[in-house]
Amino acid sequence: MAPLFLVLGILPLTLAGGHDYGAALSKSILFFEAQRSGYLPKNQRVQWRGNSGLNDGKISGVDLVGGYYDAGDNVKFGLPMAFTITMMSWSIIEYGTQMGSSGELGNVLDAIKWGTDYLIKAHPQPYVLYGEVGDGDTDHYCWQRPEDMTTSRAAYKIDPSHPGSDLAGETAGAMAAASIVFHRYNPAYSAELLKHAYQLFDFADKYRGKYDGSITLAQKYYRSVSGYADELLWAAAWMYKATNNQYYLNYLGKNGDALGGTGWAMTEFGWDVKYAGVQTLVAKFLMAGKGGGYAPVFEKYQEKAEFFMCSCLGKGTRNAQRTPGGLIFRQRWNNMQFVTSASFLLTVYSDYLSSARKSLKCASGYVSPSELLSFAKSQVDYILGDNPRSTSYMVGYGNNYPKQVHHRASSIVSYKVNPSFVSCRGGYSTWFSRKSSDPNLLTGALVGGSDAYDNFADQRDNYEQTEPATYNNAPFLGILARLHGGHSGYNQLLPVELPSLKLAPKPVANPAIGTALFLL
């Protein structure tokens, strides 16, 4: 007999609490503007940044101006950038209504398009994809503002002779997910994204290999430990969601065993390991009645998705580690990426279960959808300051947040305040070694966060804990929108219906040299 709490799962969930999730959402989106490379637009709100990377790709005869710097350095890494775009798009696909009511939908669309515009440039031919601009070794030797870069801006690509199925697959997923988002707001652009997605999926599947075997410079920074099998399934899932083409659903059914979708039981999800993400998507397809003849295979995907959920909750047969304060802990170096990504999957799966009027069955018993969401909320609240240190790990949120962020642009005086050139090594002696607060507030950035014992040292050289990353923030957008806007009674298993655009809240203070305050 199903537990009685299932009936409650379909009701709108009101999540009252001490945090302003709307303000956190606004700030989290603002971080992406600080990470922009290229010619900044007229509506750029983070005014302390300037144009940068204006010759990217030139040496290779291709225009690679634009995109995002991944973290606190000035390199453009294609794999985490594409994952960032996928997760921002998924956030809108699930919670676009809530983002619309917050007034932030337009800003998130701008953030996605800044990334996809670059990914389009990086894919100049069907079987050619540029996956990196700059290199981590020379970049890390220097501490410079993006506007002052003197480091190598060489570009690195994959092609049939030098394949990268993981990179091409993730980029196909990003293009497909973004095409869903833009279908209502910019149909022509949506169609262009989908054209690239088709080509990239074919490239990934036809010419198989790990991208870091072709772009070897990426190995020290974004090594593809999981290989490319998870990205092939992940891309197929997004292609199916974007096109409703049975070919991609069949691909998931036929290749679930061979590519590990039905076999790998994971306790992490992120830019490298996508299995839990694709298993969650396939579980959604199954609950929406789209399993067809592959339903038995998709049930295996769902079993693994639920293994992940139970693991995060501490109710499975192999559970994720937690700090004494209750935070999911995977590793010391930028643990935050795993917390936000896992919390996003818990949030959407909670809503899938509610829509299907089902519960989660773990080793220790049934779990209601509301329990999944409550746990995800606990992770968000920890990040925003409900932790043993009472520290907010979002820069600019709350009263006690990191002031010495491991981030070149924020730690050096703005080019617009003092345009004097900052040299490669001079930046280390003058700015990196300073023990005072950053001159530019990196509003909304989620840093690496606490260690396994809830300890945190706010020091610029403590890159494991104080460096932010775009893929920390991307899944956080969806969770914050959900917590801020509630459930709204929408069935998450139905086709996507995105709202009309509303204007974003107007800034009431100039974020040029510090804060960004909004009328909410």
Side-chain angles (χ1 to χ4, degrees):
M1 178 178 176
L4 295 176
F5 58 60
L6 283 182
V7 179
L8 300 176
I10 63 172
L11 299 176
L13 294 167
T14 301
L15 292 165
H19 289 291
D20 188 340
Y21 301 120
L25 175 62
S26 296
K27 292 174 186 293
S28 191
I29 296 166
L30 202 61
F31 167 64
F32 290 97
E33 296 194 18
Q35 297 300 107
R36 284 172 170 169
S37 180
Y39 291 97
L40 302 185
K42 292 182 179 179
N43 64 350
Q44 171 82 7
R45 294 177 295 165
V46 180
Q47 290 292 312
W48 49 265
R49 278 295 322 283
N51 299 334
S52 63
L54 304 184
N55 292 313
D56 284 1
K58 188 174 182 179
I59 194 172
S60 301
V62 62
D63 176 9
L64 295 175
V65 176
Y68 288 110
Y69 303 119
D70 68 305
D73 53 25
N74 300 325
V75 184
K76 295 191 296 200
F77 292 100
L79 183 60
M81 192 193 306
F83 178 71
T84 294
I85 302 307
T86 307
M87 294 308 296
M88 282 199 284
S89 298
W90 197 0
S91 292
I92 288 185
I93 289 166
E94 300 291 349
Y95 303 117
T97 298
Q98 289 89 334
M99 287 188 185
S101 65
S102 74
E104 289 292 351
L105 181 57
N107 287 326
V108 184
L109 289 172
D110 286 346
I112 293 172
K113 191 171 186 296
W114 192 267
T116 51
D117 282 351
Y118 171 81
L119 295 180
I120 289 171
K121 290 181 176 183
H123 183 224
Q125 299 173 36
Y127 294 158
V128 173
L129 177 64
Y130 283 85
E132 183 173 332
V133 178
D135 80 80
D137 291 346
T138 60
D139 184 88
H140 287 199
Y141 180 74
C142 299
W143 193 264
Q144 290 177 293
R145 296 174 296 208
E147 297 83 359
D148 286 328
M149 278 188 292
T150 57
T151 51
S152 168
R153 300 307 289 172
Y156 305 89
K157 67 182 179 180
I158 56 172
D159 57 31
S161 300
H162 310 88
S165 300
D166 29 22
L167 174 62
E170 179 60 65
T171 309
M175 297 288 208
S179 77
I180 300 170
V181 169
F182 284 104
H183 183 71
R184 172 168 185 175
Y185 309 114
N186 191 337
Y189 188 66
S190 173
E192 183 181 9
L193 292 172
L194 202 52
K195 180 192 74 173
H196 285 277
Y198 276 120
Q199 293 176 352
L200 285 162
F201 181 86
D202 183 52
F203 180 23
D205 194 37
K206 187 174 183 179
Y207 298 100
R208 295 192 180 187
K210 286 177 57 176
Y211 95 104
D212 58 11
S214 299
I215 304 177
T216 55
L217 284 170
Q219 290 180 5
K220 287 176 61 177
Y221 303 96
Y222 289 99
R223 178 185 291 272
S224 182
V225 177
S226 68
Y228 57 78
D230 51 337
E231 276 87 4
L232 288 175
L233 295 173
W234 175 245
W238 283 113
M239 291 300 294
Y240 175 68
K241 193 162 181 62
T243 66
N244 207 33
N245 186 326
Q246 191 69 26
Y247 171 82
Y248 298 104
L249 196 69
N250 292 345
Y251 188 97
L252 290 164
K254 291 177 180 178
N255 293 287
D257 292 343
L259 296 178
T262 61
W264 282 106
M266 307 306 301
T267 59
E268 69 174 278
F269 171 57
W271 61 261
D272 180 23
V273 187
K274 313 286 168 42
Y275 282 115
V278 69
Q279 289 157 354
T280 300
L281 281 172
V282 172
K284 181 181 185 180
F285 300 157
L286 184 64
M287 284 189 272
K290 296 182 179 180
Y294 289 108
V297 179
F298 292 165
E299 286 170 2
K300 294 180 182 178
Y301 278 93
Q302 185 173 22
E303 287 174 7
K304 297 304 187 292
E306 298 201 342
F307 177 96
F308 176 84
M309 307 302 163
C310 295
S311 168
C312 292
L313 295 170
K315 296 178 179 291
T317 55
R318 190 175 86 244
N319 296 321
Q321 181 182 344
R322 287 195 218 167
T323 69
L327 188 72
I328 294 172
F329 187 81
R330 176 74 187 176
Q331 65 184 37
R332 179 177 169 85
W333 190 343
N334 190 15
N335 183 63
M336 192 63 69
Q337 60 182 306
F338 302 109
V339 179
T340 58
S341 294
S343 297
F344 179 87
L345 291 187
L346 288 163
T347 301
V348 298
Y349 204 70
S350 165
D351 286 335
Y352 298 164
L353 289 173
S354 293
S355 297
R357 303 193 179 196
K358 292 184 177 181
S359 61
L360 173 66
K361 186 177 181 180
C362 295
S364 59
Y366 284 101
V367 179
S368 70
S370 61
E371 285 183 74
L372 269 77
L373 191 58
S374 293
F375 181 76
K377 178 179 178 293
S378 76
Q379 300 299 289
V380 173
D381 290 346
Y382 182 107
I383 292 168
L384 296 179
D386 292 357
N387 54 65
R389 288 180 48 87
S390 298
T391 296
S392 165
Y393 294 109
M394 176 182 284
V395 176
Y397 182 91
N399 298 318
N400 181 27
Y401 53 81
K403 306 294 198 303
Q404 295 185 34
V405 183
H406 185 92
H407 189 274
R408 285 159 175 76
S410 67
S411 68
I412 302 173
V413 64
S414 171
Y415 182 83
K416 297 181 179 180
V417 173
N418 184 353
S420 299
F421 177 72
V422 176
S423 68
C424 168
R425 301 301 291 174
Y428 272 109
S429 58
T430 305
W431 296 102
F432 178 81
S433 60
R434 289 172 76 242
K435 302 303 179 185
S436 54
S437 299
D438 295 334
N440 309 305
L441 189 64
L442 194 62
T443 303
L446 289 179
V447 300
S450 61
D451 66 12
Y453 304 98
D454 301 302
N455 297 315
F456 177 77
D458 185 13
Q459 298 165 354
R460 196 167 292 113
D461 60 356
N462 180 19
Y463 56 85
E464 292 183 335
Q465 293 188 304
T466 64
E467 186 171 20
T470 56
Y471 43 89
N472 294 5
N473 280 61
F476 210 49
L477 303 181
I479 312 167
L480 291 170
R482 172 67 172 85
L483 295 179
H484 175 63
H487 186 267
S488 74
Y490 180 71
N491 186 330
Q492 298 294 127
L493 301 179
L494 294 176
V496 177
E497 291 184 13
L498 295 177
S500 59
L501 281 172
K502 294 181 181 180
L503 293 177
K506 294 181 179 180
V508 295
N510 189 345
I513 311 299
T515 59
L517 304 176
F518 293 86
L519 291 171
L520 295 170

